[in-house]
């Protein structure tokens, strides 16, 4: 598979290669020089820090049905 380098030195990574390496928009990649002189493209593994809000994310339970909510708003509870 061959690609063309633009005047700015940019290339488009072919989709089969992106799929193989798991490269998606926003991914970081690096170019490494192998011992035999080849240049290797590799994704950089980055783990996103867990946000303080993600730790709180969850489900509070079943909740109230419509009749219970209406009773609360009417002061019947």
């Amino acid at each position: 598979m061959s690609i063309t380098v633009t005047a700015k030195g940019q290339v488009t990574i072919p989709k089969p290669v992106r799929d193989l390496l798991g490269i998606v928009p926003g991914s970081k990649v690096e170019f490494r020089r192998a011992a035999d002189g080849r240049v290797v493209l590799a994704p950089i593994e980055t783990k996103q820090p867990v946000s303080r809000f993600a730790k709180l994310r969850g489900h509070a339970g079943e909740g109230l049905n419509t009749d219970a909510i209406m009773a609360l708003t009417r002061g019947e509870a």
Side-chain angles (χ1 to χ4, degrees), residues 14-61:
K15 183 162 178 19
V17 175
R18 292 191 317 260
D19 291 344
L20 176 70
L21 297 176
I23 297 171
V24 296
S27 294
K28 294 192 179 284
V29 297
E30 67 178 347
F31 294 93
R32 296 185 201 143
R33 188 166 195 175
D36 64 0
R38 291 179 299 141
V39 176
V40 179
L41 169 71
I44 297 174
E45 297 294 326
T46 57
K47 290 191 175 186
Q48 296 291 333
V50 178
S51 78
R52 59 184 174 182
F53 299 110
K55 294 176 187 176
L56 301 173
R57 191 172 295 149
H59 192 275

